[in-house]
Amino acid sequence: HVQLVQFGGGSVQTGGSLKLSCTASGQTTYTCEHAWYRQAPGKERELVSTITHDERGVTKYADSVQGRFTITQDNAKNQVYLEMHSLKPEDTAVYYCAAKKCGRPVYEDWGPGTQVTVSA
């Protein structure tokens, strides 16, 4: 398994910025993709962004965050980041880092989550 430790998060006003980080340890050799998910109160967990765990670092974003959020990684440090700008109250959620093994259809390793709160 892969252990994921998250840092960052907090409270900001609308239009503010935050940066989340996620450090992976354990069987990281088998990781092919990382993702950030989020879950708002009373809502289902939703995919925010993904990045392939290779030199290409191909990224994808949910339409709701495209152009405002940026996912990056430092493979040497086994770290993944999510920079969030122009934050809106609807971005308020618990954000989770996740890792997917090569050949697996779902994310099986999850971070503990970190709260992001955006006030109007």
Side-chain angles (χ1 to χ4, degrees), residues 47-95:
L47 180 63
V48 175
S49 182
T50 63
I51 186 166
T52 57
H53 188 61
D54 54 24
E55 296 87 5
R56 298 177 301 160
V58 177
T59 60
K60 294 182 181 179
Y61 297 93
D63 290 343
S64 58
V65 305
Q66 181 76 47
R68 299 188 298 122
F69 290 13
T70 302
I71 188 171
T72 57
Q73 64 188 356
D74 184 334
N75 288 337
K77 297 180 179 179
N78 283 319
Q79 291 182 329
V80 182
Y81 311 98
L82 185 68
E83 289 190 60
M84 306 180 291
H85 300 286
S86 301
L87 284 162
K88 306 174 182 180
E90 50 264 44
D91 294 318
T92 295
V94 177
Y95 284 71

Side-chain angles (χ1 to χ4, degrees), residues 23-46:
T23 301
S25 62
Q27 297 179 330
T28 59
T29 303
Y30 304 107
T31 298
C32 272
E33 189 171 273
H34 280 109
W36 288 97
Y37 279 77
R38 67 185 181 186
Q39 187 167 20
K43 295 186 177 181
E44 294 187 355
R45 189 173 296 189
E46 66 169 338

